[in-house]
Amino acid sequence: MPYQRKSSNENIVLLGLAFDHEDNHKRITTGEDFYILGGSAKTHDNLVEKVMAFNETVKTYGKKLEDLSKTEFYEIVKKIDDKNKKMFWFYPNQINL
């Protein structure tokens, strides 16, 4: 069954996962509405930077992450993404839980 939001009060978070670490260091960064896990120092920092830029842009819309439409979500992705071919963004209802 596809994911469906129950209400606008439901918590939605951004999740960043990276798997390119070679030093076995466990990198975890959390924020108000995001979790970044794993990766090399460079990749991890890049993910944190992108998520924070995403969140700052959401604020300019006067909304919270969970209130964004699919169109707004991808508009923000276009604004902050540097066309990194290895970074993928998924709107919450695209994930089957």
Side-chain angles (χ1 to χ4, degrees):
M1 170 180 250
Y3 174 82
Q4 294 179 357
R5 292 186 207 176
K6 295 176 185 152
S7 73
S8 63
N9 294 330
E10 184 177 340
N11 290 330
I12 304 289
V13 297
L14 295 173
L15 174 64
L17 301 172
F19 304 101
D20 67 336
H21 65 87
E22 294 180 2
D23 60 3
N24 290 325
H25 185 77
K26 308 295 187 254
R27 293 176 177 86
I28 300 171
T29 303
T30 63
E32 184 177 333
D33 55 3
F34 71 89
Y35 297 95
I36 306 295
L37 308 170
S40 65
K42 181 179 177 180
T43 301
H44 189 89
D45 290 346
N46 185 41
L47 284 172
V48 171
E49 180 183 307
K50 295 294 181 196
V51 168
M52 292 180 78
F54 187 97
N55 286 336
E56 287 303 313
T57 306
V58 169
K59 289 178 185 176
T60 68
Y61 280 63
K63 295 185 174 188
K64 293 182 179 183
L65 179 60
E66 58 266 18
D67 297 325
L68 292 176
S69 69
K70 187 174 185 176
T71 301
E72 292 167 327
F73 180 89
Y74 285 112
E75 283 175 0
I76 295 171
V77 168
K78 279 185 176 181
K79 287 180 183 181
I80 61 131
D81 194 7
D82 59 2
K83 305 297 180 219
N84 183 338
K85 301 283 189 229
K86 295 182 180 181
M87 188 175 290
F88 302 96
W89 295 85
F90 299 98
Y91 184 71
N93 75 352
Q94 290 179 295
I95 310 292
N96 290 328
L97 299 175

